[in-house]
Amino acid sequence: DQQVKQNSPSLSVQEGRISILNCDYTNSMFDYFLWYKKYPAEGPTFLISISSIKDKNEDGRFTVFLNKSAKHLSLHIVPSQPGDSAVYFCAALTGGFKTIFGAGTRLFVKA
Amino acid sequence: GAGVSQTPSNKVTEKGKYVELRCDPISGHTALYWYRQSLGQGPEFLIYFQGTGAADDSGLPNDRFFAVRPEGSVSTLKIQRTERGDSAVYLCASSLVAGGRTDTQYFGPGTRLTVL
């Protein structure tokens, strides 16, 4: 039973445009959400996070939006750059240290 | 400074053999995590250490899997009687203090285990 779902396995975006990666979750006890970025042959790297008491968090070109009623979060990258091409994982915490990851979305940013 | 390192980077073994995977966390990080990532999936939590003790091993799939961290630094994940289904990338991460919710986990590059 997947508690964190990333239903789009891949996304292709033109350089300079907005990339929107989506994530849905089923566990209403999740209270902290994270996005990680992963390049081939490397471990995931933390990108941005959001607490369940907020609905938006912004860090440079990256913004995460949380819709608790819909159990949905999204990561916006504006403007997208070729170096953003990677696999992006959505993840969630229930209040402790156990992180539940989605299956990932592979982003291709075309120059 | 040095990041999380994992050795070996690749391990090929035969079904039924025993393997050990090593993780060197960032110096000073007290929390250490092991994950397993199968093809096309995200990392799956296995075990979490706070210092020398396993605070949560609920993600270990069965008793063939065991992990230790005897001095609160390096950790070893041990798999007995390996099965083909154990083939995956095993990731290690560390963070400065316990908590998880606000402490960034830093991941190593992983060990790719292939069981023939």
Side-chain angles (χ1 to χ4, degrees), chain A residues 42-53:
Chain A
E42 296 183 9
T45 303
F46 170 76
L47 195 56
I48 192 169
S49 61
I50 187 167
S51 165
S52 62
I53 62 174

Side-chain angles (χ1 to χ4, degrees), chain A residues 24-88:
Chain A
D24 297 294
Y25 62 95
T26 58
N27 189 340
S28 58
M29 298 302 292
F30 287 147
D31 67 349
Y32 196 73
F33 301 89
L34 312 96
W35 284 93
Y36 284 84
K37 175 178 174 178
K38 185 182 184 303
Y39 292 118
E42 296 183 9
T45 303
F46 170 76
L47 195 56
I48 192 169
S49 61
I50 187 167
S51 165
S52 62
I53 62 174
K54 297 187 175 182
D55 55 18
K56 177 183 175 180
N57 188 26
E58 190 173 353
D59 183 2
R61 296 186 298 113
F62 303 92
T63 303
V64 56
F65 295 92
L66 175 62
N67 182 333
K68 284 183 64 179
S69 60
K71 293 192 176 69
H72 178 83
L73 65 156
S74 61
L75 174 68
H76 292 209
I77 307 173
V78 183
S80 302
Q81 300 173 354
D84 295 330
S85 296
V87 177
Y88 290 79

